[in-house]
Amino acid sequence: MTYIHNTITKLKKTSPAQAEFYQAVEEVLDSLQPILETNEQYQLNSIIERIVEPERQIMFRVPWVDDQGKVQVNKGYRIEFNSALGPYKGGLRFHPSVNASIIKFLGFEQIFKNALTGLPIGGGKGGANFDPKGKSDGEIMRFCQSFINELYRHIGPTTDVPAGDIGVGAREIGYMFGQYKRLTGNYDGVFTGKSLLWGGSLVRKEATGYGCVYFAQYMLEDKGDSLVGKRCLVSGAGNVAIYTIEKLYQLGAIPVSCSDSSGTIYHEAGVNLDTLKDLKEVRKVRLNEYLTAHPDAKFIPIAEYPEDGNAVWRQPADLAFPCATQNELSEADAKVLVANGCIGVSEGANMPSTQDAVEVFLAAKIHYGPGKAANAGGVATSQLEMAQNASMQRWSFEEVDEKLKVIMKNIYLNASETAAEFGEPHNLVLGANIAGFRKVADAMIEQGVV
Ligand SMILES: NC(=O)C1=CN([C@@H]2O[C@H](COP(=O)(O)OP(=O)(O)OC[C@H]3O[C@@H](n4cnc5c(N)ncnc54)[C@H](O)[C@@H]3O)[C@@H](O)[C@H]2O)C=CC1
Ligand SMILES: O=C(O)CCC(=O)C(=O)O
């Protein structure tokens, strides 16, 4: 469609060199063709042109002092993408690969993901090209304090509410909240993913991984199948991967892999969750140490990965759960998964499959839960944390988990019913994109030209 093509061409000129951002935009806009053709309102109101342009982008210097007394400088970002449905909401990523394109693609995805939750939250994302690996607690704290010295003026419990993402967990949220409180004097729910000692919600830590498995469960159950006995490949070894593995075990499946930036563990007998938590949550060491406790597992170092993809996906399994990072599953990986009899993919990470890999899944008509639907449990539970903070309540684990299950089921139903409405019942990419977009676009029209 020329309209969409022209929008993307213009975007590439006005926001040059942002490959990941274009990828995310193209995936969404491609799905929107049927709805744009039948609804002139969206074109008349230039919704597409507005929705691809962040409401605000903040970029700033983050200077901090390392343990040797040397001043280090990183680049910080917060992209406040769209507030049609509520305050900007989305995580902060600390990773050396962070740049404007990556934060923008994440913020763009967050708009539609947050809309799918059915909760009143807009889309935003942020982070820094800071590498927490190998840094002392003191260095992490000084970095977080300096990051907030700038960010504090842009965030607030009803304006913009950050949380964690890669490299940002409860420790970093603690240091950032402390500095925010010191600068503003406010003790409020400005972050989610907080410690349970001072305002955090039960289940938030587990929510993205648990939600991603609930989503897979609903996709399977809808077709009369279940997770029981299914062998599952999981990538990553962080927050999302660990709690995906935990929930897979709880629902009777057998997770057989995990990975980090040094390589992949394949454990035919099933990944040992206690060992994984000890390595990654307590000792924070590389995954090859898993072999010390489990010599029957296999470790495939990055240097031995296939040239056209990722060793995690080259093992035989029934289901795949990409939970590490963007573009970690290539077209070649997708073909191997399908050839090996994989019947479903549920994405814990954001945009982990390349566009060509997604095409392979859709053509093979396997169950495919795109990240913006399948991993929405994390941000949804963040909103439940905001609701508890605002009402000064604390809900039980079971209460929050129950709400999370309902939210994930509704996201699945919304995406699959929308896909059916547009004539492609198995295509949850189409269903999720249209369902999320419709909600944001209609709210934008009702709020006028802003
Ligand atoms: N934490 C959350 O609530 C949510 C996270 N996500 C997404 O889930 C993914 C994982 O995030 P978290 O588990 O929170 O982060 P984390 O920092 O706890 O763990 C990230 C994991 O991915 C691995 N990883 C990162 N880059 C890699 C690379 N280039 N190659 C191989 N492995 C790599 C790391 O070694 C680590 O094991 C990200 O895509 C994130 O955006 C999505 C929704 C919510
Ligand atoms: O919990 C949140 O606010 C954000 C989670 C997140 O960053 C994501 O959904 O990718």
Side-chain angles (χ1 to χ4, degrees):
M1 194 187 182
T2 7
Y3 177 47
I4 289 179
H5 175 79
N6 290 347
T7 307
I8 291 171
T9 308
K10 192 170 155 208
L11 194 68
K12 288 183 177 172
K13 277 202 188 122
T14 55
S15 300
Q18 299 191 340
E20 293 83 359
F21 177 50
Y22 309 148
Q23 183 184 341
V25 170
E26 278 171 10
E27 188 230 83
V28 171
L29 296 197
D30 277 350
S31 304
L32 298 181
Q33 295 208 11
I35 192 172
L36 293 177
E37 276 161 13
T38 54
N39 196 327
E40 282 180 4
Q41 280 276 42
Y42 295 143
Q43 289 198 38
L44 188 65
N45 283 283
S46 294
I47 292 297
I48 297 296
E49 293 88 330
R50 281 198 273 160
I51 218 164
V52 298
E53 199 57 55
E55 288 175 17
R56 195 170 300 105
Q57 305 185 57
I58 303 141
M59 288 187 215
F60 49 100
R61 182 172 72 199
V62 190
W64 56 282
V65 182
D66 70 17
D67 285 347
Q68 283 67 49
K70 172 149 182 19
V71 174
Q72 301 286 343
V73 184
N74 287 97
K75 195 157 178 146
Y77 303 84
R78 185 73 183 165
I79 307 245
E80 298 183 331
F81 226 118
N82 193 297
S83 61
L85 297 181
Y88 309 105
K89 183 82 195 89
L92 296 171
R93 176 176 291 192
F94 292 169
H95 192 271
S97 65
V98 161
N99 58 34
S101 170
I102 286 182
I103 297 300
K104 251 172 117 174
F105 111 68
L106 290 163
F108 185 72
E109 290 283 288
Q110 203 80 43
I111 303 172
F112 307 99
K113 180 192 308 193
N114 294 5
L116 285 169
T117 66
L119 301 166
I121 37 180
K125 198 87 184 192
N129 64 346
F130 170 74
D131 189 357
K133 234 179 256 160
K135 302 286 188 301
S136 69
D137 264 4
E139 289 177 321
I140 301 272
M141 182 182 73
R142 291 192 293 278
F143 176 80
C144 288
Q145 289 176 339
S146 177
F147 187 80
I148 289 301
N149 284 346
E150 172 57 35
L151 194 67
Y152 85 95
R153 67 189 95 239
H154 307 287
I155 59 178
T158 58
T159 51
D160 183 354
V161 186
D165 190 80
I166 292 179
V168 178
R171 173 182 58 170
E172 292 73 21
I173 295 289
Y175 292 145
M176 289 191 274
F177 177 77
Q179 186 71 354
Y180 168 85
K181 178 163 63 80
R182 186 175 192 197
L183 292 170
T184 63
N186 297 336
Y187 200 114
D188 53 31
V190 67
F191 289 95
T192 59
K194 301 185 287 296
S195 158
L196 297 175
L197 287 177
W198 44 272
S201 172
L202 287 157
V203 193
R204 177 59 190 91
K205 182 174 69 171
E206 296 84 355
T208 310
Y210 279 20
C212 175
V213 178
Y214 292 145
F215 195 87
Q217 183 187 22
Y218 299 135
M219 288 197 292
L220 291 170
E221 280 178 2
D222 205 19
K223 301 287 178 278
D225 201 347
S226 89
L227 282 165
V228 177
K230 297 284 189 302
R231 299 181 68 75
C232 303
L233 296 173
V234 179
S235 65
N239 171 265
V240 180
I242 287 174
Y243 292 96
T244 293
I245 289 174
E246 183 164 288
K247 185 51 74 179
L248 283 171
Y249 274 126
Q250 288 173 8
L251 296 182
I254 309 148
V256 290
S257 72
C258 54
S259 66
D260 67 8
S261 48
S262 69
T264 291
I265 286 286
Y266 178 70
H267 196 173
E268 185 133 24
V271 170
N272 186 297
L273 189 56
D274 291 337
T275 304
L276 181 61
K277 283 187 178 179
D278 179 54
L279 296 177
K280 289 298 180 180
E281 292 189 332
V282 184
R283 291 163 51 203
K284 300 187 194 296
V285 293
R286 297 211 157 187
L287 215 42
N288 58 347
E289 295 210 17
Y290 184 93
L291 293 181
T292 313
H294 307 284
D296 58 321
K298 187 164 78 174
F299 180 70
I300 309 156
I302 286 273
E304 291 172 21
Y305 276 23
E307 258 177 37
D308 56 358
N310 183 338
V312 183
W313 315 120
R314 303 304 171 100
Q315 320 301 321
D318 302 307
L319 297 169
F321 293 83
C323 296
T325 193
Q326 65 275 355
N327 293 328
E328 55 159 320
L329 198 161
S330 67
E331 180 183 15
D333 295 328
K335 286 183 174 158
V336 174
L337 279 170
V338 172
N340 280 342
C342 175
I343 59 160
V345 179
S346 187
E347 295 184 338
N350 285 306
M351 207 170 73
S353 307
T354 64
Q355 191 57 36
D356 291 337
V358 175
E359 296 302 334
V360 172
F361 297 142
L362 294 177
K365 290 201 167 18
I366 66 169
H367 301 286
Y368 172 63
K372 65 170 74 68
N375 73 36
V379 74
T381 309
S382 275
Q383 198 280 344
L384 301 180
E385 182 172 326
M386 289 162 72
Q388 290 169 81
N389 293 160
S391 60
M392 298 197 168
Q393 290 181 34
R394 178 91 185 269
W395 303 336
S396 69
F397 192 96
E398 291 68 29
E399 205 174 343
V400 182
D401 193 31
E402 207 39 55
K403 288 183 197 293
L404 171 63
K405 281 184 201 162
V406 172
I407 291 168
M408 295 313 297
K409 182 151 212 170
N410 286 339
I411 294 174
Y412 172 69
L413 290 175
N414 193 3
S416 59
E417 283 163 10
T418 308
E421 181 188 335
F422 286 88
E424 293 194 42
H426 77 284
N427 189 341
L428 298 182
V429 176
L430 183 89
N433 284 336
I434 293 185
F437 171 81
R438 246 193 323 215
K439 212 168 162 207
V440 181
D442 292 348
M444 286 172 73
I445 291 172
E446 284 177 13
Q447 290 171 15
V449 181
V450 288

